[in-house]
């Protein structure tokens, strides 16, 4: 029995030794884990704190002390409410209520703290809640990231954007004023030509004056459209053609029942000033030619204007009528006509090409790149 008892005690002793060794290993691992936690806690690149349910600081790392300018001892005499900016406090407390009610697991927000020197520092705050095994709230774990420099950069960027916006608005107003004044000045020139034409006795000279008036009016209309446009750099070509041709019909006293007009312009064709003025003058000359020569003695007819995008980002402008057509062997480059010279010169200015056919009526096709 002694031997058996001795053997049993030996086994128990070995078991106890094994248990003691295991406990020592676990305690060593816990000590090592605790050391690692403390090292990570105190050497973290962001502020970390344990905060009591009432808002007092329980445990903070050095980084948080650096962000707020307080020592650990000074912070432990305060609550987070004491150093939170009043404009941010209500939002922060609402999040606290939600996390305590277990409606949310964590929350993040940008807020401002008062530093010890009373200056403000912007931080990004992330908070979670530790609970007892029973579920009772124990303390908050707060991670505080200093975002003061980022906020300063955002403020500078916002100020810069506001300055750019103000500058753009100023330039927009100035550009509108320029368009308005150019339009008015062109109208003044047109009015002066109109006054001067009253003293002209020669019919051919009078026609030249009137044609010049109409060309100036076409250019003035471009500036008027730019002035009215949402995009001060471009005009809607379809809308412009409508107004331009309407003014020509009025100037030539055309009976709309006698000459039918159709305009087919693709939507969203916009031209800048450098393209719009030459294009408008080409349309002016071609439509004027149809009104003057295509329908003699007030005969009926039709004029069609079409503008569309074609391959290689080009535009094609087509002005056609069903009038008497062109004389045989017609070559507009050899005709002593200011109108045709203008059409040719303006087409070259647009880096385009012109093709004219006149077997039945007249059709003029002008193609140029859309820039």
């Amino acid at each position: 029995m002694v031997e058996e008892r001795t053997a049993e005690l030996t086994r128990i002793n070995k078991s106890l030794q094994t248990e003691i060794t295991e406990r020592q290993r676990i305690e060593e691992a816990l000590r090592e884990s605790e050391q690692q936690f403390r090292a990570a806690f105190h050497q973290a690149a962001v502020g970390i704190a344990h905060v009591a349910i009432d808002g007092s600081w329980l445990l903070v790392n050095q980084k948080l002390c650096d962000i707020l300018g307080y020592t650990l001892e000074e912070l432990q005499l305060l609550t987070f409410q004491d150093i939170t900016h009043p404009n941010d406090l209500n939002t922060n407390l609402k999040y606290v209520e939600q996390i305590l009610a277990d409606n949310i697991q964590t929350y993040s927000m940008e807020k401002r703290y008062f530093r010890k020197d009373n200056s403000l520092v912007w931080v990004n705050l992330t908070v979670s809640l530790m609970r007892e095994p029973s579920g009772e709230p124990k303390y908050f774990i707060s991670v505080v990231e200093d975002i003061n420099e980022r906020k300063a950069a955002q403020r500078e960027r916002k100020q810069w954007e506001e300055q750019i916006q103000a500058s753009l608005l100023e330039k927009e107003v100035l550009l509108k004023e320029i368009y308005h004044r150019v339009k008015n000045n062109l109208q003044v020139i047109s009015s002066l030509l109109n006054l001067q034409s009253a003293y002209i006795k020669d019919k051919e000279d009078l026609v030249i004056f009137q044609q010049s008036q109409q060309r100036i009016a076409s250019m003035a209309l471009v500036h008027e459209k730019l002035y009215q446009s949402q995009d001060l750099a471009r005009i809607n070509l379809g809308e412009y053609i409508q107004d331009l041709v309407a003014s020509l019909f009025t100037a030539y006293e055309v009976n709309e029942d006698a000459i039918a007009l159709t305009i087919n312009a693709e939507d969203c064709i916009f031209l800048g000033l450098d393209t719009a003025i030459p294009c408008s003058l080409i349309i002016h000359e071609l439509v004027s030619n149809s009104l003057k020569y295509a329908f003699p003695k007030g005969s009926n007819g039709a004029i069609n204007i079409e503008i569309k995008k074609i391959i290689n980002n080009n535009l094609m402008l087509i002005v056609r009528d069903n009038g008497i057509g062109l004389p045989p062997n017609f070559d507009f480059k050899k005709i002593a006509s200011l109108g045709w010279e203008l059409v040719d010169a303006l087409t070259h200015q647009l880096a385009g090409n012109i093709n004219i056919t006149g077997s039945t009526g007249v059709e003029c096709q002008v193609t140029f790149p859309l820039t």
Side-chain angles (χ1 to χ4, degrees), residues 77-96:
L77 299 175
L78 301 170
T79 66
F80 79 83
Q81 296 94 322
D82 294 330
I83 60 173
T84 296
H85 192 284
N87 292 347
D88 302 329
L89 184 57
N90 286 339
T91 302
N92 202 160
L93 292 177
K94 285 179 182 178
Y95 278 126
V96 169

Side-chain angles (χ1 to χ4, degrees), residues 316-350:
M316 175 177 284
L317 167 66
I318 303 171
V319 178
R320 65 170 69 90
D321 63 59
N322 61 352
I324 61 174
L326 296 173
N329 303 318
F330 172 83
D331 186 352
F332 75 93
K333 293 187 178 182
K334 296 180 180 179
I335 294 177
S337 166
L338 177 60
W340 286 115
E341 287 180 11
L342 277 174
V343 171
D344 187 39
L346 293 167
T347 301
H348 282 292
Q349 184 177 329
L350 292 172

Side-chain angles (χ1 to χ4, degrees), residues 18-32:
T18 302
E19 185 175 342
I20 291 170
T21 302
E22 181 63 18
R23 285 180 177 272
Q24 289 174 339
R25 187 189 66 78
I26 292 173
E27 289 174 359
E28 181 63 26
L30 287 173
R31 281 194 297 271
E32 185 178 346

Side-chain angles (χ1 to χ4, degrees), residues 124-144:
N124 185 70
L125 174 67
T126 303
V127 178
S128 57
L129 177 64
M130 289 293 294
R131 294 181 179 273
E132 300 285 0
S134 63
E136 287 295 313
K138 189 174 182 182
Y139 59 82
F140 298 106
I141 300 176
S142 299
V143 177
V144 181

